Amino acid sequence: MKQQFLKLENPCSEQWNTMQANSEGRFCDSCAKNVIDFTSMSPVEISLKMKQAKGKICAQISSEQLNSPLIIARQQKSWSVLPYSTIAASLLIASSLVACETHCSFHAYNRIEQVSTFGQIMNIQSNRNSVPKGTIEDVTLFSGKILHSESQQPIKNAKISFVCTQKVISGYSDEQGNFELKIESNLLDQDNVVRFSYGEVKAPLGDSITYFQGYDTKDVVYSKADFAMKQEVLAHPSIHYVGGIGRYVERKDPIVLENGVPIKYKDFAAALQGEKSVCSLENKEYLYFTGIYAMAIYGNAAKDGLYIILAK
């Protein structure tokens, strides 16, 4: 299976925040060209822009987008695409999936978010496990602090997501950057993936930075022993590039999980483009993982990447 990736072919030294804003992104006086803002677009939207340009295009792009595959747009449609996430993103990422009845909670100071299992959102405080009355569920507390990599200031509203093939458990950091997640111990193995994403982090008040670009999503593989220790996580300011953007093709065979079950990538891609598909993305988003992170979650079969579809 062929997948397209973006590449920065002609880096430009012009500063994005000094260019004049327009409907496409910015206008570069030096080159007398529009510079498209890819950082706010989904992979499908970027693919369509590249197709319409019939060649190279000038754009602002993030380091994360350079490492994530495009969803190849076959034709222009009216669709409601998922935001790039933040990962991812955030695609996120950006941030899940498989079925299991769940009972998970967060420390009181954390803003409670959700646990996703088999495409369903389940209230974190509900308990449907068949835990005998009077017993204490075996859980592991994963805690830590998130700081700016340079200023060492705490980061508020960073999203912390524990990801496995049974479920995704998410919470947020507080004003001091602290976070705590309670995770069923039976979900942990030797390689455990946690994603730190920053889509809801706002620019620091009084910061001298005139153009806030946010922070890069970060995936980390932790051992069981790591989970028992408080972690310090550094949030690195996102790196954005400006210049001529091209494409290259690699043969990849990513795994796509919908409701915890592998589906064909072509069905997933069709659904993202608003086409008829056995894969439904209504009220759903997806996470994308690559390399060692994909394999830590799913195994060696995911060496070419892993998409996890989850309910919003």
Side-chain angles (χ1 to χ4, degrees):
M1 177 183 301
K2 293 181 179 179
Q3 284 194 303
Q4 288 188 6
F5 292 80
L6 296 172
K7 58 180 177 179
L8 184 65
E9 293 189 329
N10 297 303
C12 179
S13 60
E14 296 297 319
Q15 297 298 308
W16 172 263
N17 58 330
T18 63
M19 299 179 190
Q20 183 178 356
N22 61 24
S23 59
E24 292 286 344
R26 301 291 172 105
F27 184 81
C28 178
D29 289 328
S30 296
C31 303
K33 289 183 179 180
N34 284 328
V35 183
I36 312 301
D37 187 9
F38 278 179
T39 63
S40 60
M41 294 184 181
S42 74
V44 178
E45 292 172 310
I46 293 174
S47 175
L48 185 59
K49 281 287 185 184
M50 295 293 290
K51 186 175 181 179
Q52 291 172 339
K54 296 180 180 180
K56 297 175 183 177
I57 190 171
C58 285
Q60 175 185 227
I61 190 169
S62 72
S63 55
E64 291 180 34
Q65 289 173 308
L66 289 173
N67 293 314
S68 301
L70 294 176
I71 303 296
I72 301 174
R74 288 185 281 274
Q75 57 184 340
Q76 186 169 8
K77 291 181 177 290
S78 176
W79 64 75
S80 177
V81 293
L82 301 170
Y84 178 81
S85 236
T86 125
I87 300 18
S90 325
L91 196 199
L92 182 51
I93 35 65
S95 281
S96 0
L97 73 153
V98 172
C100 256
E101 299 292 347
T102 140
H103 171 67
C104 300
S105 62
F106 299 94
H107 194 278
Y109 63 59
N110 271 355
R111 176 155 61 91
I112 291 178
E113 205 221 20
Q114 65 189 40
V115 174
S116 296
T117 68
F118 275 143
Q120 300 175 350
I121 298 294
M122 306 185 72
N123 189 305
I124 290 172
Q125 295 172 321
S126 68
N127 183 4
R128 302 183 185 181
N129 278 341
S130 56
V131 178
K133 201 168 184 179
T135 65
I136 299 176
E137 186 180 10
D138 183 17
V139 297
T140 296
L141 180 67
F142 178 62
S143 64
K145 191 178 186 72
I146 302 181
L147 304 172
H148 189 289
S149 62
E150 297 171 359
S151 68
Q152 298 296 299
Q153 293 299 307
I155 303 295
K156 179 184 176 182
N157 278 345
K159 186 174 184 179
I160 303 93
S161 298
F162 166 79
V163 183
C164 68
T165 56
Q166 281 84 10
K167 63 184 72 172
V168 169
I169 303 170
S170 299
Y172 291 82
S173 59
D174 66 8
E175 292 185 358
Q176 286 73 47
N178 296 311
F179 66 87
E180 289 186 357
L181 300 181
K182 284 184 179 179
I183 302 164
E184 295 99 324
S185 297
N186 62 0
L187 295 178
L188 301 178
D189 55 28
Q190 295 307 311
D191 295 314
N192 306 280
V193 174
V194 177
R195 169 164 288 184
F196 300 91
S197 52
Y198 304 92
E200 297 182 47
V201 175
K202 301 186 183 302
L205 294 176
D207 200 296
S208 60
I209 299 174
T210 56
Y211 177 57
F212 179 65
Q213 298 180 155
Y215 304 94
D216 279 334
T217 296
K218 182 178 183 179
D219 295 330
V220 181
V221 176
Y222 291 107
S223 68
K224 280 186 178 180
D226 292 331
F227 268 68
M229 297 183 290
K230 189 171 182 178
Q231 301 295 326
E232 182 176 278
V233 181
L234 298 181
H236 294 270
S238 182
I239 300 175
H240 289 182
Y241 302 95
V242 173
I245 307 297
R247 290 176 289 182
Y248 67 96
V249 174
E250 286 189 359
R251 187 165 292 279
K252 300 276 189 179
D253 190 18
I255 300 293
V256 182
L257 295 180
E258 181 183 23
N259 297 333
V261 178
I263 65 170
K264 293 181 179 179
Y265 174 79
K266 67 177 183 179
D267 292 330
F268 170 63
L272 274 179
Q273 296 176 74
E275 299 176 358
K276 186 176 180 179
S277 172
V278 296
C279 172
S280 173
L281 295 179
E282 185 177 358
N283 296 320
K284 295 178 182 177
E285 57 187 349
Y286 69 89
L287 301 175
Y288 174 71
F289 295 90
T290 186
I292 61 172
Y293 311 107
M295 291 188 287
I297 296 169
Y298 191 80
N300 291 338
K303 60 181 176 59
D304 288 340
L306 173 67
Y307 291 92
I308 297 175
I309 303 170
L310 64 150
K312 287 184 179 179

